[in-house]
Amino acid sequence: MDKQMLAWCVYLAGGVLLGLFVWRITRNWSRYIRHFLLVTYAVLVFTPFSLNLADKPDVYAPALFIAVLNTLFQGEDAGLDAAVTLALIWIVALVVSMGYLIASSFWRRPKAVASEE
């Protein structure tokens, strides 16, 4: 296994563990707030973005890191690509999450009505 793959495996394992920690902390919160926070966390931590290196075109890093570091060191325009990618993926993930929440509220409703009777 090469060093880049090992680094991604360690990063993903740490991200999953931190995600489980966030999920555990927010378990008593409202479903909508919990899903919003977990979706936001997942998008910020797990979205990859290409480094656009001339000699290695298939090298990726987390988009949040690229957006922040390119903005700091190369200017606002350099970090804009990764930031736009993050924003678009975040919006799509929130729409999918809201669809799931709405659909699951319909699935739960008959069970709640049956338990009240």
Side-chain angles (χ1 to χ4, degrees):
M1 184 181 303
D2 64 336
K3 291 179 183 180
Q4 182 182 0
M5 187 62 69
L6 179 63
W8 268 107
C9 289
V10 170
Y11 178 79
L12 291 176
V16 167
L17 289 176
L18 185 60
L20 290 172
F21 184 70
V22 170
W23 175 73
R24 178 81 172 152
I25 288 174
T26 62
R27 73 179 184 267
N28 293 328
W29 295 7
S30 165
R31 289 180 67 218
Y32 298 101
I33 294 172
R34 184 174 61 230
H35 275 264
F36 175 79
L37 290 175
L38 290 173
V39 165
T40 302
Y41 167 78
V43 168
L44 289 177
V45 172
F46 296 119
T47 302
F49 194 78
S50 175
L51 289 177
N52 295 328
L53 299 176
D55 55 342
K56 295 181 182 179
D58 60 342
V59 176
Y60 290 88
L64 179 65
F65 297 158
I66 293 175
V68 170
L69 293 175
N70 281 356
T71 302
L72 285 175
F73 295 117
Q74 297 177 355
E76 295 173 2
D77 293 336
L80 195 59
D81 289 341
V84 168
T85 301
L86 271 173
L88 291 175
I89 291 174
W90 183 61
I91 290 170
V92 169
L94 285 177
V95 168
V96 170
S97 176
M98 286 305 291
Y100 167 75
L101 286 173
I102 291 169
S104 67
S105 69
F106 288 122
W107 296 328
R108 290 179 177 211
R109 189 170 295 154
K111 292 178 185 178
V113 171
S115 65
E116 291 176 5
E117 294 176 354

